[in-house]
Amino acid sequence: MAQPETDDAAGLGALEPVTRQRAQLRTRIADVAWTALCVILLFWGIWSAVGVAGGVSAWAYSAVAWVLLAMALVTRAVAARSRTRI
């Protein structure tokens, strides 16, 4: 019988407090969260813009969506730059 692979054998390593993977975990989770937020805001902005083009008076929602998307993208870029400087 073959023994099941451990985390070390799979190349992932252990997520113990001092390991490199543990240090990168917070950064990876933040990247996924920022990406999800940007995608949601992008879809909201497009959906609102289509509603405005269709004659619905949802221009305020569209403007808010695009402003929030711009703010999220700038914040993500600043965070990425500061992370690479360290």
Side-chain angles (χ1 to χ4, degrees):
M1 253 195 240
Q3 292 181 340
E5 291 185 14
T6 62
D7 287 341
D8 293 331
L12 297 176
L15 285 176
E16 295 177 4
V18 188
T19 60
R20 185 175 183 185
Q21 289 85 1
R22 179 70 176 228
Q24 293 174 348
L25 183 61
R26 180 175 291 173
T27 303
R28 290 180 183 173
I29 291 173
D31 284 341
V32 169
W34 277 110
T35 302
L37 176 66
C38 290
V39 168
I40 289 170
L41 289 173
L42 178 67
F43 284 146
W44 183 29
I46 292 172
W47 183 40
S48 298
V50 168
V52 169
V56 179
S57 60
W59 60 270
Y61 291 114
S62 181
V64 169
W66 292 114
V67 168
L68 288 175
L69 177 61
M71 289 172 46
L73 289 173
V74 167
T75 305
R76 182 175 180 184
V78 168
R81 286 184 191 155
S82 67
R83 192 171 48 230
T84 57
R85 284 187 210 156
I86 296 175

